[in-house]
Amino acid sequence: MIFDIVLLIILIICVITDIRKRLIYNKVIFPALILSFILHLIVNGWSGLVTSLLGFLLGFGILLIPYFMGGMGPGDVKLLALIGALKGPAFVLNTSIYMALLGGLLALGIIIFSGGAFKRLKYYFHWLYAKKNGLKVPLALTKDSMKATYPYGVAIAGGAILSFVGKAWFS
């Protein structure tokens, strides 16, 4: 129960800061991480600490490659690792599945509702038509479209919330 409360508080803080500043702060993540390890050791002994460490490593590892490829911020990686440290490997794995689905929906929504979505879609259809007919037309991606970001911490937090809900339904 204490782990759930700590996680919900951290998720609320991180979603707010990620939406407002596009940052997930270390001064939020690191104390919560240390608290997680200490609480697991106190409540569940050494096995709890090992479970917490395994969850941390799994959460960290899931987003490490996307981070190195430039598609993820370091705060997102640390947030998922913290979720793993608080709730363990199985929970962080479920969270990552929901997170990926929510992240895709969030990205799709941003693409659809951002300015020029229909213009881009029309261009892609022209590009496909040209490609089909043997014409070489470069696929124009603007620098702005390559730099567009969105607060992925929202998808991570949503994935964790869905994991809570799924656990409650199936338990």
Side-chain angles (χ1 to χ4, degrees):
M1 181 71 167
I2 185 79
F3 300 107
D4 297 343
I5 293 168
V6 170
L7 181 57
L8 287 174
I9 291 169
I10 297 302
L11 291 176
I12 290 168
I13 293 168
C14 290
V15 164
I16 291 169
T17 61
D18 201 21
I19 289 172
R20 287 186 180 172
K21 307 258 184 183
R22 292 290 202 280
L23 291 170
I24 296 173
Y25 291 106
N26 289 338
K27 62 185 174 185
V28 174
I29 297 293
F30 289 146
L33 187 61
I34 292 168
L35 179 65
S36 171
F37 292 144
I38 292 170
L39 283 175
H40 272 287
L41 184 60
I42 292 170
V43 173
N44 301 315
W46 290 107
S47 66
L49 180 62
V50 169
T51 300
S52 182
L53 288 170
L54 289 174
F56 169 80
L57 291 173
L58 181 60
F60 188 79
I62 287 171
L63 291 181
L64 197 58
I65 291 174
Y67 166 71
F68 284 136
M69 294 177 67
M72 197 68 50
D76 300 324
V77 177
K78 291 179 271 188
L79 179 58
L80 192 62
L82 173 62
I83 291 169
L86 281 166
K87 297 295 288 176
F91 187 89
V92 79
L93 192 58
N94 286 335
T95 296
S96 68
I97 293 167
Y98 291 128
M99 166 197 77
L101 294 171
L102 289 174
L105 289 174
L106 185 60
L108 187 60
I110 289 170
I111 289 169
I112 290 172
F113 295 112
S114 68
F118 292 109
K119 182 179 175 182
R120 282 193 300 269
L121 190 58
K122 181 180 171 185
Y123 177 79
Y124 292 135
F125 280 122
H126 286 287
W127 179 81
L128 287 172
Y129 180 77
K131 191 83 166 160
K132 178 183 170 218
N133 291 308
L135 300 172
K136 288 194 173 191
V137 177
L139 182 59
L141 295 173
T142 64
K143 288 184 181 180
D144 290 338
S145 69
M146 296 302 287
K147 291 181 182 178
T149 64
Y150 64 95
Y152 203 73
V154 173
I156 296 170
I161 297 299
L162 287 175
S163 291
F164 275 126
V165 171
K167 186 177 179 184
W169 281 347
F170 298 115
S171 293

